[in-house]
Amino acid sequence: MFRSTSSTAVDPRLTGGDLVAADLVKTYPGTTTPALRGVNLTITAGESVAVMGPSGSGKTTLLHLLAGVLTPTSGWVAWRGRDLVSLGDAGRTRLRRTDFGFVFQSGHLLPELPAIENVALPLMLAGVPRRAATARAAELFPPLGLDGLTGRRPGELSGGQAQRVAIARAMVGDPGVVFADEPTGALDQATGSEVMEHLLRRCRTAHASLVVVTHDELVARWCSRTVRLRDGLVVADDRVSSR
């Protein structure tokens, strides 16, 4: 287990879920219209949430605030009782390495590194020795259908294979939550469904929550909950009991 061991005191306001956001407002410098206008959201352990909405609705802004990439203009975000803003830049960076995983539309794999090192990289950045990091990374290749591909560089992988390597990288540090920004946006429908199946399966195995930003209703159907944004506000929050 490579999880963060921070002992920051828990503020009672910040409890009620693994990931809690309250009254989130975000206005970017040089603009007058907020990207988010008072969003409240609670995500429980192991929950899979699709965040949907038209372009400009605030989806990616919300994901970046939940992940501590951005800080809110007002309101707050807490991860397991810790206020992300109070952690400071260094604390949020450390948290993203230890507790959070990320999957992006284009994978964001480093082209000069083989797949095994791309997956092991978050652990090595967190101080895990290379041999232990690559050994842990190698364990994730068979469950994702990536046998025999540890030595291939990203340019030698198909789009679906590259996204599964990205999933392995997101999961290698045993995260509590995975953030996925349009993870199937560059894939055909069949390959996208395969990637979502692997992503959900790995999150369930690790008991990790999943937050997916997507334009695709088919992707949203994989999740147990769909949150819809419009003009910076939550306009619908639907749960699917069968997921």
Side-chain angles (χ1 to χ4, degrees):
M1 302 285 282
F2 300 103
R3 192 177 303 287
S4 169
T5 57
S6 171
S7 59
T8 304
V10 176
D11 183 330
R13 295 181 311 146
L14 311 182
T15 60
D18 257 16
L19 188 61
V20 181
D23 303 321
L24 279 186
V25 174
K26 180 63 179 180
T27 304
Y28 290 100
T31 66
T32 56
T33 302
L36 293 181
R37 298 192 292 130
V39 168
N40 295 283
L41 186 65
T42 298
I43 297 172
T44 58
E47 192 172 24
S48 56
V49 181
V51 180
M52 301 195 72
S55 296
S57 61
K59 302 185 301 297
T60 298
T61 297
L62 176 59
L63 183 143
H64 286 168
L65 288 170
L66 293 175
V69 176
L70 296 174
T71 56
T73 304
S74 62
W76 48 263
V77 178
W79 166 244
R80 293 181 176 170
R82 289 172 285 174
D83 181 356
L84 297 193
V85 173
S86 70
L87 291 177
D89 289 340
R92 287 191 297 273
T93 297
R94 185 164 54 250
L95 193 70
R96 289 193 296 271
R97 290 177 180 170
T98 57
D99 288 44
F100 297 166
F102 297 88
V103 180
F104 304 98
Q105 178 174 332
S106 59
H108 287 198
L109 301 176
L110 296 180
E112 67 274 17
L113 295 182
I116 188 70
E117 292 185 12
N118 265 286
V119 174
L121 187 60
L123 296 183
M124 291 189 286
L125 290 174
V128 177
R130 185 181 183 280
R131 179 174 294 183
T134 55
R136 167 59 181 153
E139 295 174 1
L140 295 174
F141 278 69
L144 288 165
L146 295 170
D147 288 292
L149 301 182
T150 56
R152 292 195 186 181
R153 285 174 168 74
E156 300 171 317
L157 300 171
S158 69
Q161 289 169 340
Q163 282 301 77
R164 282 181 277 149
V165 171
I167 292 170
R169 182 185 59 189
M171 302 304 302
V172 73
D174 191 30
V177 60
V178 174
F179 298 97
D181 192 354
E182 298 285 1
T184 66
L187 305 174
D188 61 72
Q189 184 174 317
T191 305
S193 293
E194 181 183 25
V195 165
M196 283 302 300
E197 182 176 7
H198 279 295
L199 181 56
L200 264 296
R201 183 183 300 125
R202 293 311 306 167
C203 284
R204 287 168 180 161
T205 298
H207 306 292
S209 302
L210 174 65
V211 181
V212 181
V213 164
T214 182
H215 285 91
D216 192 337
E217 294 284 353
L218 294 177
V219 171
R221 290 176 192 170
W222 284 93
C223 298
S224 60
R225 180 180 173 195
T226 299
V227 173
R228 299 182 188 273
L229 298 182
R230 184 176 295 276
D231 297 328
L233 293 169
V234 174
V235 295
D237 189 344
D238 302 313
R239 286 177 169 81
V240 180
S241 58
S242 60
R243 285 290 182 194

